[in-house]
Amino acid sequence: MAHCKIPAGVFVPVIDPNKCEAKGPCINVCPYGVFELGKLAKEKRKDLHLIGKIKGFVHGWQQAQVVQPDLCQACNLCVKACPEQAIRLVPAKQK
């Protein structure tokens, strides 16, 4: 895409599991297939705060997940599309 001027893999999206409600606009807007919807692993659920656990339970533990971080070109479409503001882009080395 013309507005993505950063090479793939320089930045990666990070999803806050306490905020994500699996609505999926990040999946739909990402032109590079970086995200998919999946179930939050049981071992990761213990790290959620109370509100995150409630949201997770209500949504069947479904959340957006970063499956192809190396394809991200930091176009920021996912960050803008997320209604929960659960996504941020960070330098790849700071994951």
Side-chain angles (χ1 to χ4, degrees):
M1 301 194 86
H3 64 280
C4 299
K5 298 186 188 317
I6 297 176
V10 174
F11 287 89
V12 294
V14 174
I15 299 172
D16 182 341
N18 285 297
K19 293 181 178 180
C20 182
E21 294 182 5
K23 293 178 180 162
C26 57
I27 297 165
N28 298 326
V29 300
C30 180
Y32 305 106
V34 172
F35 303 94
E36 70 179 27
L37 199 59
K39 197 169 240 186
L40 185 65
K42 283 186 180 183
E43 60 271 6
K44 292 185 179 183
R45 296 177 195 170
K46 65 178 166 65
D47 296 330
L48 297 174
H49 56 58
L50 179 61
I51 298 299
K53 288 179 180 177
I54 292 169
K55 284 183 178 186
F57 179 78
V58 168
H59 295 287
W61 301 108
Q62 292 293 311
Q63 292 196 340
Q65 297 180 1
V66 179
V67 294
Q68 300 274 5
D70 54 318
L71 298 180
C72 179
Q73 293 190 22
C75 62
N76 215 37
L77 294 173
C78 59
V79 174
K80 292 177 184 175
C82 181
E84 292 87 29
Q85 298 177 340
I87 304 172
R88 60 191 172 90
L89 297 176
V90 300
K93 293 179 178 115
Q94 292 185 7
K95 293 194 286 189

